[in-house]
Amino acid sequence: ASMRVLVVGASGFIGGVLQEIFRTDHQVSGTFRSRPRQGLLHLDLTDPAETRAVLEQVRPELILYPAAVPNVEYCEAQPEETWAINVGGTVNLVVGARAAGAGLVFFSTDYLFDGRDGPYSEDTAPHPLNAYGRQKLACEEVIRSGLGGDHLIIRTTVVYGWEEARKNFVAKLLHSLRAGQPFRVPVDQLGNPTYVHNLALAKLVQRD
């Protein structure tokens, strides 16, 4: 059945694809914070009043939440600023989702783990080593405590595909190789790349 779906962060890489995919079956609204796009609603999750107003306007049954400040190095350098956005914003969204009776799908990260004993299962105890991982873990805890069973947490990693900003790993790699430029990559990380359209098409969020 068609649902009212709100994509928080539809101006971003994953959010844009989620909006595109879910639009085929559902009534989809999307938001942006700093990158305006036609048809998207402005939403700064750190503003409780604006968060409440957007949710009252859209009345979502389901919220897809890929929005974040995901730059690991930036989070490490600016932990207070990014905590306010990533975790404080999640608190406001959870309050709004609970009031709206909406389910929430949260896109988390493999940075919750220390890398010593992968691959990991859903039951592995997190042990983040950096600010970004600690923030996403805090977000998960806020969601679990605030929404009970009406949520889904997806810990995804190395999401790739075409994007205008060319911020994901594969897009950066192709751009550098086509330009004949060297490309520096870490030699101490392993990951399971996820094609962004496959992530969106999983549609693990059908609600009874």
Side-chain angles (χ1 to χ4, degrees):
S2 178
M3 292 185 294
R4 292 185 304 277
V5 177
L6 178 64
V7 180
V8 177
S11 60
F13 175 42
I14 294 174
V17 176
L18 286 169
Q19 185 178 40
E20 171 193 332
I21 296 295
F22 274 75
R23 187 178 275 156
T24 60
D25 298 318
H26 303 287
Q27 306 168 53
V28 179
S29 301
T31 74
F32 73 94
R33 179 172 181 263
S34 57
R35 288 182 291 172
R37 290 196 178 171
Q38 187 175 6
L40 299 185
L41 302 167
H42 182 266
L43 174 58
D44 181 351
L45 287 176
T46 65
D47 183 339
E50 185 176 40
T51 303
R52 184 170 58 250
V54 168
L55 291 175
E56 287 175 354
Q57 176 183 343
V58 176
R59 297 182 300 112
E61 299 166 83
L62 179 68
I63 300 170
L64 306 178
Y65 180 30
V69 178
N71 187 300
V72 176
E73 288 78 13
Y74 189 80
C75 289
E76 205 66 30
Q78 304 291 339
E80 292 183 5
E81 174 195 341
T82 53
W83 181 280
I85 297 170
N86 287 339
V87 184
T90 298
V91 170
N92 290 334
L93 186 61
V94 165
V95 169
R98 190 168 58 222
L104 179 69
V105 179
F106 177 63
F107 292 78
S108 192
T109 177
D110 61 334
Y111 279 99
L112 266 62
F113 302 107
D114 57 22
R116 292 176 185 153
D117 193 28
Y120 297 97
S121 73
E122 290 88 345
D123 300 322
T124 303
H127 183 223
L129 300 179
N130 52 46
Y132 178 63
R134 289 190 290 272
Q135 291 172 14
K136 295 295 262 191
L137 178 58
C139 291
E140 289 192 6
E141 292 168 349
V142 165
I143 290 166
R144 275 193 291 269
S145 63
L147 293 178
D150 208 4
H151 72 270
L152 175 67
I153 292 170
I154 300 173
R155 293 171 176 168
T156 190
T157 177
V158 198
V159 181
Y160 71 94
W162 185 88
E163 64 173 325
E164 189 175 350
R166 290 197 294 259
K167 291 194 294 185
N168 70 85
F169 177 81
V170 172
K172 286 181 179 177
L173 176 63
L174 287 173
H175 177 69
S176 294
L177 292 178
R178 284 172 176 163
Q181 299 171 344
F183 188 73
R184 295 171 62 87
V185 298
V187 296
D188 59 349
Q189 293 185 17
L190 297 175
N192 295 310
T194 304
Y195 181 45
V196 65
H197 278 76
N198 289 346
L199 177 63
L201 281 167
K203 290 198 177 181
L204 301 173
V205 294
Q206 298 289 358
R207 303 173 70 206
D208 296 332

